[in-house]
Amino acid sequence: MSMDRLITRILETKNPSVAGLDPKLSYIPDFIKEEAFAKHGKNLEGAAAALLAFNKGIIDALCDIVPAVKPQCAYYEMLGWQGVKALSDTIAYAQQKGMVVIIDGKRNDIGTTMEAYAAGHLGVTQVEDISLPAFGGDLLTVNGYLGSDGIKPLLKVCQEQNKGIFVLVKTSNPSSGELQDQCIDGKPIYRVMGEFCEQWGEQLPGQYGYSGVGAVVGATYPDQLTELRKALPHTFFLVPGYGAQGGGAEGVAGAFDENGLGAIINSSRGILCAWQKTGAAPEDYAKAAREEALRMKEDLCRVIPPMKAPAEAQ
Amino acid sequence: MSMDRLITRILETKNPSVAGLDPKLSYIPDFIKEEAFAKHGKNLEGAAAALLAFNKGIIDALCDIVPAVKPQCAYYEMLGWQGVKALSDTIAYAQQKGMVVIIDGKRNDIGTTMEAYAAGHLGVTQVEDISLPAFGGDLLTVNGYLGSDGIKPLLKVCQEQNKGIFVLVKTSNPSSGELQDQCIDGKPIYRVMGEFCEQWGEQLPGQYGYSGVGAVVGATYPDQLTELRKALPHTFFLVPGYGAQGGGAEGVAGAFDENGLGAIINSSRGILCAWQKTGAAPEDYAKAAREEALRMKEDLCRVIPPMKAPAEAQ
């Protein structure tokens, strides 16, 4: 199951972080863009080619020290189908380099439509008698506003294909509380959604005690991270908002369990734009990304318990 | 603004319905698939070509009598980037034929990421000094679980590009109540989300009294449709669940105002699979779709007030 594969890679690299591949054109060094535009034209195709080349450099620089990448669909879709092709190629390249791929699509729908998303992003699509992977991600972020009808079709595909999901629980943005902090019978909605994750996860048990149904919980809400870690013992957390969104290592410490597991912390701009922030030469963008990833790993490991597989999994 | 364009087309066609373009391969006549597979191979590309050819036939048959189409992203994404290219081509073809296009993507994220979705699906993408539309839809369905941070970036793009959105409020599925019917201070969440729509819509006023921020409310919940129509006077409704999901014309009557406006009713399988349901020849699939669309129009017009532009808009 892919949550197990993610945790195994975290243990192997001793690094509980994921690189968010959210590349805007402005993050990409000119020499990459110029080459892509020269070849494909200054258009969506050229921009998508620049994205892919940039991503490959980042993946090459990180694949032995960072367990996973998380491409954010929006930045690929904004370049049309050409961008979506670059997303597809990025996923394949990262997996080929041994990385686990979390597709950040926050998809949501019901019934057969949600099955279609599950097939497309995690499973296989039937073209008559032939089964073909479309995007072939390992994990997918999803939004549970529609209730169980929106999640159950995913669980079926996850079971069959050994994949997993992350459900939005408490997002990192300032206004996330408008709905998520409101109380139903005295219990905040993020907590209700978190408990749904525990329940949905029963169908996808994992070898490290964490199920195939994880939760997205923002680094910007340390108290809720700590509260939810205790309340949801089988739910692995994907934590956005470290660094660029203001959350630091101390803020995410509560997301981890006594084995230093339980969460993976995302950094997107921090890693992708490291070359701009440090004033590195554009040619060294990937090297700067690697240095930032190592700095982040150290920063995180400083505040969490020494990482080890739980006794029952060893 | 695109909600105005949608309402204008509804008035012109006297038809408050939208054809959901959710084509599964099993809905598509063999002769179309065989031709596509012969040309492109029995693979994702071939399947995507079959989808596009099928859609074009449906659009040709409906464009003078149905105001809009609503392609559901999931069925295109399940065919990978090749399917997403077919989505892009479908959108362009429908617009060329005068139809309004609602992209059913239920997208959701925050800040610059949501801006990227807005640019991609509704606006234009900047490639250096050049502005290019990526998907170029007229309206996009979105999920508001993340709060205002997830919606405001869309409003900016909608203002600049004269586009609009539909926010999930009360979805048509059986388990939608798990979260959406729960009460916050005595008020159900769908109602809270609906009131957010009224508030967000203030930034996008429309000529018919309906703003550029609409709401998705399922045909399967007639009481909530009636309640929300009264409570949300500036919010236009996109209503799924007619026909195949069990809701009939009587059930959706409450979604309309005294001018026979206020809502557009979706039918996907009912229209796309009409040829299979009626036993029509595969070659007549588009004709069968047109007949079903006309039947549905009559069915709806039977239960709603005679359609006219409100006095203040004339």
Side-chain angles (χ1 to χ4, degrees), chain B residues 217-301:
Chain B
V217 188
T220 41
Y221 297 101
D223 294 345
Q224 281 88 340
L225 265 176
T226 308
E227 170 203 340
L228 290 169
R229 177 68 291 139
K230 284 188 190 122
L232 312 175
H234 309 98
T235 304
F236 201 83
F237 295 164
L238 169 62
V239 183
Y242 169 90
Q245 283 183 43
E250 277 74 15
V252 300
F256 292 87
D257 65 20
E258 68 282 8
N259 299 309
L261 295 174
I264 190 161
I265 314 298
N266 181 72
S267 170
S268 301
R269 268 168 294 173
I271 289 175
L272 302 184
C273 301
W275 69 279
Q276 292 169 323
K277 233 173 282 175
T278 60
E283 292 72 21
D284 291 333
Y285 81 95
K287 199 175 146 225
R290 183 179 173 92
E291 278 161 16
E292 168 58 18
L294 287 169
R295 189 207 61 74
M296 179 181 172
K297 172 187 169 177
E298 254 182 65
D299 188 36
L300 291 172
C301 290

Side-chain angles (χ1 to χ4, degrees), chain B residues 20-33 36 47-62 76 90 93 268-269 271-276 282 284-286 289:
Chain B
L21 295 180
D22 311 5
K24 289 180 149 186
L25 279 180
S26 59
Y27 301 173
I28 302 180
D30 283 341
F31 76 94
I32 293 178
K33 286 188 278 199
L51 241 67
L52 180 60
F54 178 76
N55 284 349
K56 284 185 173 178
I58 296 280
I59 290 166
D60 287 341
L62 300 184
Y76 302 86
T90 295
Y93 190 78
S268 301
R269 268 168 294 173
I271 289 175
L272 302 184
C273 301
W275 69 279
Q276 292 169 323
D284 291 333
Y285 81 95

Side-chain angles (χ1 to χ4, degrees), chain A residues 8-309:
Chain A
T8 301
R9 279 299 290 157
I10 290 172
L11 285 163
E12 284 167 359
T13 56
K14 297 274 176 224
N15 186 356
S17 72
V18 48
L21 295 179
D22 311 6
K24 288 180 149 186
L25 279 180
S26 59
Y27 301 172
I28 302 179
D30 283 341
F31 77 93
I32 293 178
K33 285 188 278 199
E34 279 157 18
E35 200 183 316
F37 293 152
K39 195 166 172 190
H40 303 281
K42 202 189 266 186
N43 50 32
L44 298 178
E45 198 182 347
L51 240 68
L52 179 60
F54 178 76
N55 284 349
K56 284 184 173 178
I58 296 280
I59 290 166
D60 287 341
L62 301 184
C63 61
D64 61 325
I65 54 162
V66 174
V69 289
K70 180 177 76 63
Q72 163 55 257
C73 292
Y75 294 99
Y76 302 86
E77 291 178 22
M78 81 182 290
L79 299 177
W81 65 265
Q82 296 92 334
V84 176
K85 182 172 188 308
L87 169 65
S88 188
D89 293 341
T90 296
I91 293 167
Y93 191 78
Q95 288 175 331
Q96 195 186 311
K97 294 282 173 171
M99 300 184 94
V100 173
V101 177
I102 303 168
I103 301 182
D104 195 357
K106 300 187 175 60
R107 294 301 193 254
N108 61 109
D109 217 290
I110 55 167
T112 51
T113 303
M114 203 63 207
E115 276 174 29
Y117 273 134
H121 289 277
L122 299 173
V124 290
T125 294
Q126 284 300 127
V127 177
E128 308 285 305
D129 52 336
I130 303 169
S131 299
L132 298 162
F135 292 98
D138 298 297
L139 295 134
L140 175 69
T141 63
V142 301
N143 183 321
Y145 183 73
L146 288 85
S148 301
D149 298 323
I151 303 297
K152 286 184 181 157
L154 289 158
L155 301 182
K156 206 179 105 195
V157 172
C158 288
Q159 269 177 330
E160 288 165 7
Q161 306 283 334
N162 286 314
K163 301 294 174 82
I165 55 173
F166 285 103
V167 181
L168 297 188
V169 166
K170 173 68 183 164
T171 57
S172 59
N173 54 307
S175 78
S176 70
E178 283 176 8
L179 184 67
Q180 298 162 28
D181 289 357
Q182 299 298 318
C183 283
I184 298 172
D185 298 333
K187 193 182 279 183
I189 287 174
Y190 68 78
R191 181 73 183 260
V192 173
M193 195 60 88
E195 290 171 8
F196 273 129
C197 292
E198 282 283 306
Q199 197 182 308
W200 292 324
E202 286 169 15
Q203 271 180 257
L204 296 169
Q207 67 181 94
Y208 296 104
Y210 289 105
S211 83
V213 179
V216 176
V217 188
T220 41
Y221 298 101
D223 294 345
Q224 281 88 340
L225 265 177
T226 308
E227 170 203 340
L228 290 169
R229 177 68 291 139
K230 285 189 190 121
L232 312 175
H234 308 97
T235 304
F236 201 82
F237 295 164
L238 169 63
V239 183
Y242 169 90
Q245 283 182 44
E250 277 74 15
V252 301
F256 292 87
D257 64 21
E258 69 281 7
N259 299 309
L261 296 174
I264 189 160
I265 314 298
N266 181 72
S267 170
S268 301
R269 268 169 293 172
I271 289 175
L272 302 184
C273 301
W275 69 279
Q276 292 169 323
K277 234 172 282 176
T278 59
E283 292 72 21
D284 291 333
Y285 80 95
K287 198 175 146 226
R290 183 180 174 91
E291 278 161 16
E292 168 58 17
L294 287 170
R295 190 207 60 75
M296 179 182 172
K297 172 186 169 177
E298 255 182 64
D299 188 36
L300 292 172
C301 289
R302 201 172 40 79
V303 300
I304 64 174
M307 207 182 284
K308 63 174 197 296

Side-chain angles (χ1 to χ4, degrees), chain B residues 29-292:
Chain B
D30 283 341
F31 76 94
I32 293 178
K33 286 188 278 199
E34 279 158 18
E35 201 183 316
F37 293 151
K39 195 166 172 191
H40 304 279
K42 202 189 266 187
N43 50 32
L44 297 178
E45 197 183 347
L51 241 67
L52 180 60
F54 178 76
N55 284 349
K56 284 185 173 178
I58 296 280
I59 290 166
D60 287 341
L62 300 184
C63 61
D64 61 324
I65 54 162
V66 175
V69 289
K70 180 177 76 62
Q72 162 56 256
C73 292
Y75 293 100
Y76 302 86
E77 291 178 21
M78 81 182 289
L79 299 177
W81 65 265
Q82 297 91 334
V84 177
K85 182 172 188 307
L87 169 65
S88 188
D89 293 341
T90 295
I91 293 167
Y93 190 78
Q95 288 174 332
Q96 194 186 312
K97 294 281 173 170
M99 300 184 93
V100 173
V101 176
I102 304 167
I103 301 182
D104 196 356
K106 300 187 175 61
R107 294 300 193 255
N108 62 109
D109 217 289
I110 55 167
T112 51
T113 303
M114 203 63 206
E115 276 173 29
Y117 273 134
H121 289 277
L122 299 173
V124 290
T125 294
Q126 284 300 126
V127 177
E128 308 286 306
D129 52 336
I130 303 169
S131 299
L132 298 162
F135 292 99
D138 298 297
L139 295 134
L140 175 68
T141 62
V142 301
N143 183 322
Y145 183 73
L146 288 84
S148 300
D149 299 323
I151 304 296
K152 285 183 181 157
L154 288 158
L155 301 181
K156 206 179 104 193
V157 172
C158 287
Q159 268 177 330
E160 287 165 8
Q161 306 283 334
N162 286 313
K163 300 295 174 80
I165 55 173
F166 285 103
V167 181
L168 297 188
V169 167
K170 173 67 184 164
T171 57
S172 60
N173 53 307
S175 78
S176 70
E178 284 176 7
L179 185 67
Q180 299 162 28
D181 290 358
Q182 298 298 317
C183 283
I184 298 171
D185 297 333
K187 194 182 278 184
I189 287 174
Y190 67 79
R191 181 73 183 260
V192 173
M193 195 60 88
E195 289 170 9
F196 274 129
C197 291
E198 281 283 306
Q199 198 182 309
W200 292 324
E202 286 169 15
Q203 271 180 257
L204 296 169
Q207 68 181 94
Y208 297 104
Y210 289 104
S211 83
V213 179
V216 176
V217 188
T220 41
Y221 297 101
D223 294 345
Q224 281 88 340
L225 265 176
T226 308
E227 170 203 340
L228 290 169
R229 177 68 291 139
K230 284 188 190 122
L232 312 175
H234 309 98
T235 304
F236 201 83
F237 295 164
L238 169 62
V239 183
Y242 169 90
Q245 283 183 43
E250 277 74 15
V252 300
F256 292 87
D257 65 20
E258 68 282 8
N259 299 309
L261 295 174
I264 190 161
I265 314 298
N266 181 72
S267 170
S268 301
R269 268 168 294 173
I271 289 175
L272 302 184
C273 301
W275 69 279
Q276 292 169 323
K277 233 173 282 175
T278 60
E283 292 72 21
D284 291 333
Y285 81 95
K287 199 175 146 225
R290 183 179 173 92
E291 278 161 16
E292 168 58 18

